[in-house]
Amino acid sequence: WFIVATFVLPLAFAAIAGGMTKIASHAVEESTAEVRSKPLGYLDLWGGLKDRPGFLKFSTEEACVRALLARSVGSFVVVPADYLETGSVRVMTVRRPTLLTSERPPLPPGVRDWLIESLLAGADPGRVRRAKEPFLPSTIFLDADGKPSTEDPEVVQQRSLAAYAFFLLLFISIFSSGAYLLQGMAEEKENRVMEMVLSSLTADELMLGKLIGLGAVGLLQIAVWTSMSLVMVAFAAIQL
């Protein structure tokens, strides 16, 4: 069981996690591919939307629904007359929601930029471009003397993640080693090996030997898991 827990289970968990991530990503892309590949229909009750290639304008909501049911548009949006006051936009689609896509509007790329350009129609192009990306923060950390810190935030983040990872590994190793200890003591007592060992050792010496041995086993598990994690991280970095 020790060999399985040390070598097989991490690989199994990594394979399961990677497979689930790929399946989920494929499911999301497959469910939105049809919507994103077709034109977007829209109903402008506000009256300020600009024409855009690939977006089809409709005069009534009934016409939008018919086009959506006929699959001539992937989805359509209704911009209400009070759009400037509320900012609300209704998005309609025939795609059924799923756990991973229920919070993602089924819209093709460029809808946000299209709305911003319509809101800032007639404005300077530089102002429109900045409205699309209004906030590009650059954080400066100060030390105790009020001077900019020379510590790299990425290094701090990596150090914190490494600390959390080692804590998790140590936590799992301690509990697994404790389980091995309890299991071994139960088997020894059941087979009456405990009495034979205690005839030549004291209870403190026996417990100390078990703790040292199982502690070494736990440290070995941590070393193996850490090595495997570093290899997987390096492989993922190469793939990216």
Side-chain angles (χ1 to χ4, degrees):
W1 172 250
F2 170 74
I3 296 177
V4 173
T6 304
F7 297 98
V8 179
L9 286 183
L11 294 177
F13 289 149
I16 292 173
M20 292 180 64
T21 302
K22 287 188 176 181
I23 292 174
S25 177
H26 179 71
V28 171
E29 292 299 327
E30 187 176 293
S31 64
T32 58
E34 181 181 359
V35 173
R36 295 176 180 272
S37 62
K38 292 184 178 180
L40 172 72
Y42 68 94
L43 175 61
D44 183 15
L45 300 178
W46 167 47
L49 293 178
K50 299 172 62 176
D51 294 335
R52 187 182 180 96
F55 292 1
L56 302 180
K57 186 176 182 179
F58 291 88
S59 57
T60 63
E61 188 169 336
E62 291 76 13
C64 290
V65 173
R66 287 195 299 269
L68 187 62
L69 295 178
R71 307 285 183 175
S72 35
V73 295
S75 58
F76 75 85
V77 297
V78 177
V79 181
D82 58 350
Y83 170 65
L84 288 179
E85 291 76 20
T86 62
S88 63
V89 174
R90 286 186 293 145
V91 181
M92 299 189 181
T93 180
V94 294
R95 189 200 64 177
R96 296 185 60 83
T98 63
L99 177 63
L100 299 175
T101 61
S102 59
E103 298 298 327
R104 296 178 56 180
L107 297 173
V111 174
R112 182 177 180 276
D113 293 346
W114 172 53
L115 291 174
I116 292 176
E117 292 171 0
S118 299
L119 286 169
L120 299 178
D124 181 77
R127 185 179 295 272
V128 175
R129 184 171 60 255
R130 180 53 54 227
K132 294 178 181 179
E133 295 182 0
F135 187 61
L136 300 174
S138 177
T139 305
I140 299 176
F141 297 94
L142 304 180
D143 56 18
D145 298 329
K147 298 180 180 179
S149 176
T150 58
E151 195 171 23
D152 190 354
E154 293 185 1
V155 174
V156 175
Q157 185 179 17
Q158 293 173 0
R159 192 183 305 144
S160 300
L161 291 175
Y164 286 127
F166 276 109
F167 166 76
L168 182 61
L169 290 174
L170 184 61
F171 179 82
I172 296 174
S173 178
I174 288 174
F175 274 87
S176 60
S177 300
Y180 295 150
L181 175 62
L182 293 177
Q183 182 181 1
M185 292 183 65
E187 292 178 354
E188 290 174 358
K189 191 170 183 180
E190 181 180 357
N191 298 329
R192 306 188 69 84
V193 177
M194 184 74 70
E195 289 79 357
M196 298 176 59
V197 175
L198 288 175
S199 63
S200 57
L201 294 175
T202 64
D204 293 339
E205 292 174 341
L206 177 62
M207 185 58 66
L208 180 61
K210 286 183 175 294
L211 291 177
I212 293 175
L214 291 173
V217 169
L219 292 176
L220 177 61
Q221 275 190 331
I222 291 179
V224 172
W225 291 345
T226 302
S227 302
M228 296 174 68
S229 300
L230 292 177
V231 170
M232 287 187 289
V233 169
F235 179 75
I238 293 174
Q239 294 296 319
L240 294 176

